[in-house]
């Protein structure tokens, strides 16, 4: 190889390659004319040696990078440890990169030259693009294979500072443009004041004193650094990490500050705008802001990628936050509707349904489904959840999956049905929701029959179920988002609800003695629309009984008025006359009423028999309501009491002192329950107990005595006139007993599970569906074992020998 | 002490004065109503025959209408005559 030529090229490219490290290298490309170099290359080509050129170039570059440039650069960066001030630090960073640029510029120039030659066909080349890439890779590999922590910190600090300054400037510009649209931006300024430490003397951007503000300098440095990195194609390598971290941190911070706990606005648009601002900053980083750079497709695709990334990141973070807060959002629904809509929007773009489901489920279990929460509150929240989640996910899958724990839990609460029914009729406080829902137009009829998929109107509207849907369930069934149907279906059958409603209705009718129950009639009509005529038939008869009773009472009173004065009864007796077959079973209690009352009832019955041939009355002595005045020596007390109370006080007319035992004897009421009933009169200050078990009338009030009376809760109001749910269940189970006996007679011995499954197969499919779960059955069978009607041994039940 | 009752609201259930619980034809309770009716009492009355058996009016009428030749009480096979 002709040495002269090699040296020629060498100096042509880099000046003297052996120039000392410390001395600034000056490019000596100018010294040699382009044409000289070309001549040299042509010489090489003549000897067929031009292929070596590229290899040799990379070799020299690599050596130089390893030996000189990289140590020099990192040395420069290493000085950071001595600098405390931020502006100095960024200056240092810039200097280091400037130096790096100076060192690498000649190589890049040469690279240009090499490319030119390749294009002209002077060099073989392996494709010039390849060489360029190789060079860039080498930069990255040798210079930034490992970066020190301090370097990363510096970069991060630098970018976050410029980001802050940029956002500040942008805002200023915007404020100037629209000062009139102040409410929002003021808000924003306020919140930014806080994190700017704003005492007015500090610059918001660089957080140093106003007079020392170095914002413009910083922005200039920012510009320069980006240019250098761009030139060296190191932008992504050096700053991508920092930029990502900054953006993530900023988004998170901003969201935390503005959105947490705030459900009544939608934040999507606001954040969209803000993200556009951020993109503006990004374009400063990646596009150099020069009109020329805008046109390169490479850069704009980078920007596009970043925009996409920022948006996705925002959606994910925002959705996560809302998912975390979903319980509160549901609680505040419908005020929190914007938040729900935001979440819906984000969920469609991120894959977070699973996260939502598990988070909501655990939130529900933690905050709602424990013994400390009232059933009515659980129901209220469930209703909210239905409303909110059907907004969030019209396919109702989230609702179905996430609320399954609520439904399961409600099943274990005894008063669930009662609460729901009370809510439906508008009795329970704070649950007007259900009553409203009931009176909504166009109700969904609760049919037992299965709906087919065919009745979905438009085939084009069909959408597949989301992946997390339970494949075992029909989608059409799931889509019935009607709140009442959902609540009623907690127990799987509507009979339970109808029965409960009947009991509730009976209670109210018998406690209020309101013969014209308009509200009840309305409720029954509304329920009829839901549950069907047949189901509500009993309730209708009950209401009709009330109306009939009123007519009969009027009839009888009219007749009484025709009688001469002295034959009239001493007080007016009116009655509610029930069709016993249609009312829920009434509680049976024994009570012997005083003679005068019995006579009055006798007389009433007579008149009734005259009115309705071949029919008579069966009085429920313990039920009813008595209005009476107790006239004492110094005062008169007016009260409405139950018949038992009335009977008690009536007895005190003839004798002013009774013992509990005596009273129990005449009234035929057990001592324990009688004692409870006495409390009312003690509380009223009409009787006193002295000594224990002996009651005397207080004819003349003595203030001090009244105060001594201990107020005992006489749970009178809560007393239902109906037989308890447990008693009724017992009766239902009795029905199963016949079947169980038959089974055991035929098959001798069966396990609990077998009995249950057989009952399920044969009994529970009948027209009268009575449900029984395995625990109930076990309890029932164990009771039978205790009663010696059944033998349990070795895990199976058998009938006793003598019984078959 | 004197107690003055201003009004007494009592509760009673009505029942038919019959010698049986259920109607011999439809097996439903007398105090309920026949399968065709919805409302008991006046709307679905009982009737007595001279044989002293009684049925829901609707039930016995349906029975009597289905008899071709002679009309018998379904319980005792005596000739059916309404008790006046």
């Amino acid at each position: 190889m002709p040495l002269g030529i090699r040296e020629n090229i060498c100096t042509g490219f880099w000046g003297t390659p052996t120039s000392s490290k410390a001395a600034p290298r000056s490019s000596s490309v100018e010294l040699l004319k382009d044409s000289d170099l070309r001549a040299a290359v042509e010489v090489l080509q003549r000897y067929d040696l031009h292929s070596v050129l590229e290899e040799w170039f990379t070799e020299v570059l690599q050596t130089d990078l390893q030996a000189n440039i990289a140590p020099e650069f990192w040395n420069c960066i290493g000085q950071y440890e001595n600098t405390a001030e931020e502006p100095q630090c960024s200056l240092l960073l810039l200097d280091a990169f400037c130096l790096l640029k100076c060192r690498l510029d000649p190589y890049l120039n040469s690279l240009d030259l090499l490319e030119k030659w390749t294009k002209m066909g002077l060099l073989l080349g392996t494709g010039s693009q390849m060489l360029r890439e190789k060079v860039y890779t080498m930069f990255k590999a040798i210079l930034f294979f490992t970066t020190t922590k301090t370097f990363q910190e510096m970069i991060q600090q630098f970018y976050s500072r410029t980001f802050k300054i940029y956002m500040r400037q942008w805002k200023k510009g915007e404020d100037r443009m629209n000062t009139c649209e102040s409410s929002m931006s003021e808000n924003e300024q306020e919140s930014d004041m806080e994190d700017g430490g704003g005492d007015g003397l500090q610059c918001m951007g660089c957080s140093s004193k106003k007079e020392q503000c170095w914002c413009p300098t910083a922005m200039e440095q920012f510009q320069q650094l980006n240019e250098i990195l761009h030139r060296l194609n190191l932008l992504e390598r050096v700053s991508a990490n920092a930029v990502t971290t900054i953006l993530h941190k900023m988004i998170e911070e901003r969201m935390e500050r503005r959105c947490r706990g705030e459900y009544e606005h939608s934040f999507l648009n606001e954040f969209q705008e803000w993200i556009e601002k951020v993109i503006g900053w990004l374009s400063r980083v990646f596009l150099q802001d020069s009109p020329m750079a805008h046109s390169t497709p490479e850069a704009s695709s980078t920007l596009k990628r970043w925009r996409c990334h920022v948006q996705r990141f925002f959606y994910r973070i925002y959705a996560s936050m809302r998912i975390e807060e979903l319980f509160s959002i549901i609680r505040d629904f419908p005020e929190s509707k914007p938040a729900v809509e935001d979440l819906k929007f984000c969920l469609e773009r991120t894959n977070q349904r699973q996260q939502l489901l598990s988070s909501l489920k655990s939130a529900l279990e933690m905050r709602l489904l424990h013994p400390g929460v009232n059933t009515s509150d659980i129901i209220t929240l469930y209703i909210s959840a239905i409303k909110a989640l059907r907004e969030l996910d019209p396919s109702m899958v989230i609702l179905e999956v996430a609320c399954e724990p609520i439904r399961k839990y409600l099943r274990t609460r005894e008063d669930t049905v009662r609460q729901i029914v009370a809510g439906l009729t508008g009795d329970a406080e704070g649950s007007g929701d259900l009553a409203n829902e009931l009176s909504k137009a166009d109700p969904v009829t609760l049919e037992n029959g299965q709906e087919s998929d065919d009745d979905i109107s438009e085939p084009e509207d069909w959408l597949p179920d989301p992946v997390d849907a339970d494949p075992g369930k029909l989608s059409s069934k799931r889509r019935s988002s009607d709140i009442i149907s959902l609540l009623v279906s907690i127990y799987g059958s509507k009979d339970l609800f109808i029965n409960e409603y009947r009991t509730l209705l009976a209670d109210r009718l018998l406690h209020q003695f309101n013969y014209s129950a308009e509200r009840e009639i309305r409720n029954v009509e509304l329920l009829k629309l839901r549950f069907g005529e047949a189901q509500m038939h009993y309730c209708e008869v009950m209401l009709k009984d009330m109306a009939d009773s009123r007519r009969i009472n009027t009839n009888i009173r009219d007749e009484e008025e025709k009688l001469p004065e002295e034959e009239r009864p001493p007080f007016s007796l009116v009655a509610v006359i029930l069709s016993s077959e249609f009312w829920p079973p009434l509680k049976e209690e024994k009570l012997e009423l005083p003679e005068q009352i019995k006579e009055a009832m006798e007389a009433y019955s007579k008149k009734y028999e005259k009115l309705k041939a071949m029919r008579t009355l069966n009085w429920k002595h313990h039920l009813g309501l008595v209005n009476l005045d107790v006239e004492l020596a110094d005062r008169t007390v007016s009260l409405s009491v139950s018949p038992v109370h009335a009977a008690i006080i009536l007895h005190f007319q003839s004798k002013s002192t009774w013992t509990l035992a005596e009273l129990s004897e005449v009234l035929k009421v057990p001592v324990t329950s009688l004692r409870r009933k006495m409390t009312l009169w003690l509380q009223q200050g009409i009787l006193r107990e002295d000594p224990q078990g002996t009651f005397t009338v207080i004819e003349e009030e003595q203030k001090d005595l009244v105060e001594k009376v201990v107020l005992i809760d006489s749970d009178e109001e809560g007393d239902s006139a109906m037989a308890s749910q447990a008693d009724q269940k017992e009766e239902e189970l009795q029905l199963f007993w016949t079947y169980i006996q038959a089974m055991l007679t035929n098959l001798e011995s069966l396990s609990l599970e077998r009995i249950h499954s057989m009952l399920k197969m044969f009994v529970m499919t009948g027209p009268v569906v009575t449900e029984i779960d395995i625990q109930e059955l076990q309890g029932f069978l164990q009771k039978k074992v205790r009663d010696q009607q059944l033998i349990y041994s070795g895990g199976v039940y058998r009938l006793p020998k003598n019984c078959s | 002490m004197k107690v003055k009752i201003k009004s007494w609201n009592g509760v009673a259930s009505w029942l038919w004065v019959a010698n049986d619980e259920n109607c011999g034809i439809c097996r439903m309770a007398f105090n309920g109503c026949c399968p065709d009716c919805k409302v008991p009492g006046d709307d679905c009355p009982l009737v007595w025959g001279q044989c002293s058996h009684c049925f829901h009016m609707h039930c016995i009428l349906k029975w009597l209408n289905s008899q071709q030749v002679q009309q018998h009480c379904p319980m005792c096979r005596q000739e059916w005559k309404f008790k006046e």
Side-chain angles (χ1 to χ4, degrees):
Chain A
M1 179 172 180
L3 260 173
I5 292 171
R6 181 193 159 157
E7 260 162 33
N8 232 358
I9 292 176
C10 234
T11 28
F13 282 172
W14 302 282
T16 36
T18 49
S19 60
S20 75
K21 197 167 68 177
R25 302 166 180 215
S26 61
S27 170
S28 39
V29 181
E30 304 306 318
L31 300 178
L32 270 167
K33 289 224 173 84
D34 196 27
S35 52
D36 292 341
L37 274 173
R38 235 181 106 172
V41 174
E42 271 161 17
V43 171
L44 274 178
Q45 199 186 17
R46 209 171 307 143
Y47 290 98
D48 230 5
L49 283 169
H50 58 290
S51 56
V52 197
L53 204 56
E54 282 180 8
E55 245 170 71
W56 172 77
F57 172 75
T58 47
E59 176 82 34
V60 171
L61 173 60
Q62 192 174 348
T63 326
D64 195 20
L65 272 172
Q66 274 171 341
N68 306 320
I69 302 176
E72 190 185 20
F73 173 74
W74 286 112
N75 207 14
C76 216
I77 295 291
Q79 287 169 21
Y80 165 73
E81 255 121 75
N82 311 326
T83 48
E85 295 279 306
E86 204 189 324
Q88 278 176 24
C89 176
S90 49
L91 199 63
L92 187 78
L93 189 70
L94 188 64
D95 279 349
F97 274 99
C98 274
L99 186 69
L100 188 66
K101 188 186 167 234
C102 286
R103 294 287 181 263
L104 293 177
D105 247 355
Y107 288 99
L108 288 172
N109 286 337
S110 315
L111 190 66
D112 286 342
L113 210 56
L114 282 175
E115 271 178 7
K116 210 171 91 192
W117 289 340
T118 313
K119 229 175 252 166
M120 287 164 65
L122 284 175
L123 290 175
L124 278 176
T126 40
S128 62
Q129 208 53 47
M130 288 277 284
L131 182 64
R132 187 170 276 272
E133 265 168 36
K134 215 165 157 189
V135 170
Y136 285 145
T137 316
M138 216 185 287
F139 287 169
K140 276 182 222 172
I142 296 172
L143 279 169
F144 297 103
F145 175 61
T146 50
T147 53
T148 56
K149 209 171 159 229
T150 43
F151 175 69
Q152 277 169 3
E153 271 169 22
M154 276 167 88
I155 292 283
Q156 182 130 356
Q157 192 186 30
F158 182 77
Y159 275 102
S160 43
R161 176 61 62 204
T162 53
F163 178 75
K164 231 179 192 163
I165 295 169
Y166 177 82
M167 293 308 269
R168 168 66 28 199
Q169 283 175 345
W170 199 91
K171 194 171 294 150
K172 266 188 204 151
E174 193 183 53
D175 282 353
R176 232 174 288 131
M177 276 202 309
N178 46 6
T179 30
C180 45
E181 197 198 327
S182 52
S183 67
M184 191 64 204
S185 54
E186 254 172 41
N187 253 338
E188 221 163 304
Q189 262 172 343
E190 262 170 45
S191 61
D192 282 339
M193 286 282 220
E194 282 160 31
D195 67 324
D199 47 7
L201 288 169
Q202 258 186 351
C203 171
M204 302 287 189
C206 52
S207 44
S208 51
K209 294 227 172 77
K210 276 252 162 82
E211 56 265 30
Q212 292 167 1
C213 171
W214 53 287
C215 288
T217 334
M219 283 315 275
E220 219 162 274
Q221 287 171 345
F222 172 64
Q223 195 80 12
Q224 283 171 0
L225 184 67
N226 284 331
E227 261 165 40
I228 293 169
L229 288 173
H230 201 67
R231 170 102 175 103
L232 302 180
N233 207 11
L234 285 170
L235 198 54
E236 293 264 3
R237 175 71 190 96
V238 172
S239 52
N241 246 336
V243 170
T244 318
T245 322
I246 290 166
L247 289 180
H248 287 193
K249 216 175 89 195
M250 285 304 177
I251 291 176
E252 270 167 14
E253 268 177 14
R254 192 179 165 83
M255 198 168 312
E256 201 65 31
R257 204 169 62 227
R258 303 186 68 85
C259 311
R260 186 166 287 282
E262 191 55 60
Y263 313 132
E264 292 176 28
H265 305 287
S266 167
F267 286 96
L268 285 180
N269 282 336
E270 195 193 316
F271 264 92
Q272 208 61 51
E273 275 173 29
W274 188 77
I275 286 172
E276 283 312 312
K277 281 195 245 171
V278 174
I279 299 288
W281 179 70
L282 279 176
S283 73
R284 283 281 186 94
V285 178
F286 294 107
L287 288 183
Q288 307 303 302
D289 246 8
S290 64
M292 218 269 288
H294 266 290
S295 53
T296 62
E298 192 188 335
S300 68
S301 87
T302 315
L303 196 62
K304 221 181 203 168
R305 216 172 59 230
W306 275 95
R307 180 197 297 267
C308 195
H309 171 83
V310 171
Q311 268 173 351
R312 290 195 62 93
F313 181 77
F314 161 71
Y315 290 143
R316 211 181 68 234
I317 293 289
Y318 189 55
S320 298
M321 181 164 134
R322 287 299 185 227
I323 285 170
E324 201 185 302
E325 297 173 315
L326 194 55
F327 184 87
S328 313
I329 292 175
I330 286 175
R331 194 190 51 207
D332 291 355
F333 200 82
E335 279 76 29
S336 60
K337 201 170 169 193
V340 173
E341 279 164 356
D342 280 2
L343 179 57
K344 184 183 174 196
F345 184 85
C346 294
L347 269 189
E348 282 162 6
R349 281 154 184 80
T350 60
N351 186 20
Q352 284 175 297
R353 285 174 72 101
Q354 277 311 320
Q355 188 192 338
L356 184 144
L357 285 176
S358 56
S359 144
L360 180 60
K361 259 187 187 169
S362 67
L364 287 173
E365 261 151 38
M366 280 250 303
R367 294 177 63 177
L368 192 68
L369 307 180
H370 55 77
V373 185
N374 286 335
T375 308
S376 63
D377 292 340
I378 299 180
I379 294 172
T380 311
L381 194 106
Y382 183 42
I383 294 169
S384 271
I386 294 172
K387 288 183 182 164
L389 295 180
R390 85 178 158 199
E391 201 71 47
L392 184 66
D393 174 28
S395 74
M396 309 299 284
V397 173
I398 290 180
L399 176 66
E400 187 193 323
V401 178
C403 290
E404 193 50 40
I406 305 188
R407 296 167 67 88
K408 216 163 153 190
Y409 185 78
L410 279 176
R411 251 172 260 159
T412 65
R413 287 257 176 139
E414 274 180 7
D415 55 342
T416 303
V417 182
R418 180 155 284 235
Q419 291 288 352
I420 294 173
V421 172
L424 279 177
T425 52
D427 287 347
E429 75 271 23
S431 62
D433 274 0
L434 272 181
N436 287 341
E437 197 67 24
L438 183 64
S439 52
K440 223 167 59 175
D442 188 26
V444 186
T445 321
L446 302 174
E447 282 306 327
N448 278 332
Q450 302 268 323
E451 287 166 48
S452 66
D453 260 334
D454 304 335
D455 54 18
I456 297 173
S457 49
E458 283 295 316
E460 276 92 26
D461 293 347
W462 182 84
L463 279 175
D465 279 336
V467 281
D468 39 8
D470 181 355
K473 293 194 180 160
L474 269 181
S475 63
S476 63
K477 228 177 178 180
R478 192 180 301 125
R479 293 222 165 84
S480 75
S481 58
D482 181 62
I483 291 174
I484 294 180
S485 346
L486 280 169
L487 283 175
V488 169
S489 66
I490 288 178
Y491 281 88
S493 89
K494 53 186 181 177
D495 294 347
L496 209 58
F497 282 82
I498 310 248
N499 286 339
E500 190 61 44
Y501 177 72
R502 224 172 85 194
T503 315
L504 204 81
L505 178 67
D507 257 348
R508 279 164 44 140
L509 292 177
L510 293 187
H511 268 122
Q512 292 172 358
F513 288 92
N514 180 6
Y515 291 97
S516 58
E518 269 99 12
R519 213 178 73 172
E520 313 299 344
I521 293 171
R522 179 173 162 274
N523 276 336
V524 168
E525 287 298 324
L526 287 171
L527 287 170
K528 232 161 68 180
L529 290 176
R530 296 250 168 202
F531 294 100
E533 292 268 341
Q535 303 282 341
M536 297 307 290
H537 172 214
Y538 281 35
C539 296
E540 280 195 289
V541 173
M542 284 162 69
L543 289 175
K544 186 171 178 297
D545 279 348
M546 295 308 282
D548 286 351
S549 303
R550 186 168 57 156
R551 244 196 333 274
I552 293 166
N553 283 327
T554 330
N555 247 326
I556 290 175
R557 195 168 325 122
D558 286 351
E559 219 164 286
E560 278 171 1
E561 263 158 33
K562 282 183 213 139
L563 292 173
E565 191 76 43
E566 59 276 8
E567 280 179 46
R568 280 189 206 169
F571 59 90
S572 84
L573 173 68
V574 291
V576 176
I577 299 163
L578 319 175
S579 305
S580 52
E581 295 287 319
F582 293 82
W583 286 65
L586 299 174
K587 225 192 305 184
E588 289 300 333
E589 259 174 46
K590 208 155 163 41
L591 172 67
E592 192 73 21
L593 290 175
E595 218 39 58
Q596 59 177 126
I597 312 294
K598 280 205 284 190
E599 274 166 24
M601 286 179 171
E602 207 69 30
Y604 190 96
S605 296
K606 286 262 157 51
K607 284 171 202 146
Y608 180 81
E609 281 162 23
K610 226 192 279 169
L611 219 56
K612 308 270 179 186
M614 295 311 284
R615 275 195 267 174
T616 187
L617 290 180
N618 179 9
W619 288 89
K620 314 274 177 203
H621 290 162
H622 58 289
L623 297 177
L625 190 70
V626 183
N627 289 314
L628 45 73
D629 286 341
V630 183
E631 289 166 2
L632 295 153
D634 59 343
R635 65 199 189 279
T636 304
V637 183
S638 289
L639 286 170
S640 293
V641 294
S642 77
V644 194
H645 290 126
I648 292 169
I649 205 68
L650 282 169
H651 280 296
F652 277 90
Q653 271 187 126
S654 53
K655 192 170 120 189
S656 65
T657 306
W658 289 80
T659 65
L660 209 54
E662 285 169 340
L663 266 179
S664 162
E665 177 69 30
V666 282
L667 292 171
K668 305 273 192 289
V669 175
V671 176
T672 41
S673 71
L674 186 62
R675 175 170 281 287
R676 245 183 327 133
K677 303 288 180 198
M678 297 304 287
T679 48
L680 175 88
W681 297 117
L682 294 177
Q683 277 173 16
Q684 291 296 330
I686 289 169
L687 297 183
R688 70 162 184 268
E689 186 174 9
D690 187 37
Q692 183 86 21
T694 309
F695 295 88
T696 316
V697 179
I698 309 172
E699 278 292 352
E700 277 175 42
E701 197 168 18
Q702 287 149 295
K703 288 279 179 236
D704 56 326
L705 264 181
V706 180
E707 282 156 22
K708 274 187 202 161
V709 172
V710 187
L711 290 177
I712 301 163
D713 183 24
S714 64
D715 64 25
E716 210 49 46
E717 301 313 311
D719 251 3
S720 166
M722 303 306 129
S724 72
Q725 204 73 44
D727 294 347
Q728 287 184 37
K729 190 80 198 172
E730 183 75 10
E731 224 162 273
E732 278 171 24
L733 288 176
Q734 214 54 46
L735 168 81
F736 288 116
W737 181 234
T738 337
Y739 286 93
I740 295 168
Q741 274 178 314
M743 265 183 235
L744 291 174
T745 317
N746 290 326
L747 301 166
E748 278 194 10
S749 63
L750 287 170
S751 68
L752 177 67
E753 285 76 21
R754 274 294 297 283
I755 296 180
H756 186 246
S757 64
M758 284 178 81
L759 285 176
K760 223 165 154 182
M761 215 181 321
F762 300 118
V763 189
M764 295 186 211
T765 49
V768 192
V769 185
T770 315
E771 306 242 351
I772 182 169
D773 63 34
I774 200 149
Q775 277 86 16
E776 275 178 307
L777 182 67
Q778 190 174 22
F780 177 71
L781 292 178
Q782 270 162 5
K783 194 163 161 275
K784 289 290 177 196
V785 172
R786 277 200 299 279
D787 295 347
Q788 297 183 336
Q789 288 174 288
L790 210 59
I791 293 171
Y792 180 70
S793 66
V796 290
Y797 291 92
R798 253 181 305 135
L799 289 175
K801 280 278 175 293
N802 56 353
C803 195
S804 54
Chain B
M1 186 194 68
K2 197 166 173 292
V3 179
K4 198 174 141 212
I5 299 170
K6 284 189 285 191
S7 69
W8 189 293
N9 295 296
V11 177
S13 60
W14 61 264
L15 59 153
W16 290 101
V17 187
N19 46 14
D20 203 354
E21 292 268 301
N22 302 324
C23 167
I25 298 173
C26 67
R27 304 309 297 164
M28 301 295 263
F30 280 138
N31 298 330
C33 50
C34 78
D36 297 335
C37 281
K38 289 235 150 133
V39 185
D42 294 339
D43 294 354
C44 187
L46 299 196
V47 286
W48 280 259
Q50 284 186 347
C51 56
S52 88
H53 287 119
C54 72
F55 306 97
H56 286 124
M57 186 181 76
H58 300 128
C59 295
I60 192 70
L61 286 180
K62 230 196 270 176
W63 165 259
L64 295 176
N65 286 339
S66 70
Q67 300 295 297
Q68 308 292 327
V69 200
Q70 245 190 332
Q71 298 186 321
H72 290 152
C73 167
M75 302 292 267
C76 60
R77 294 277 157 198
Q78 289 180 42
E79 195 187 345
W80 179 266
K81 280 194 184 118
F82 285 104
K83 195 174 180 180
E84 291 308 314

